[in-house]
Amino acid sequence: MSAARKLGILVFCGVPAIIGGGIVYAIFNDLTAIFIYETILLLGVGAYLAR
């Protein structure tokens, strides 16, 4: 996988991180929930990029 494609995937996954983080905060009103959500996203993207 080329470096440009990896960067494109990371940008594409940044949108759910920003928008989803706001939604999670609005629902739970807690920064711990955002940390858990962001960690799950990071693990998913990392697993995808590692293959």
Side-chain angles (χ1 to χ4, degrees):
M1 190 179 310
S2 69
R5 183 174 173 144
K6 287 183 181 181
L7 285 174
I9 291 169
L10 288 175
V11 169
F12 181 76
C13 293
V15 173
I18 294 168
I19 302 299
I23 293 170
V24 168
Y25 184 75
I27 293 171
F28 294 106
N29 212 14
D30 185 26
L31 293 178
T32 305
I34 295 175
F35 180 72
I36 293 169
Y37 173 74
E38 299 288 335
T39 303
I40 292 169
L41 280 178
L42 183 62
L43 289 173
V45 171
Y48 181 75
L49 291 177
R51 54 178 200 132

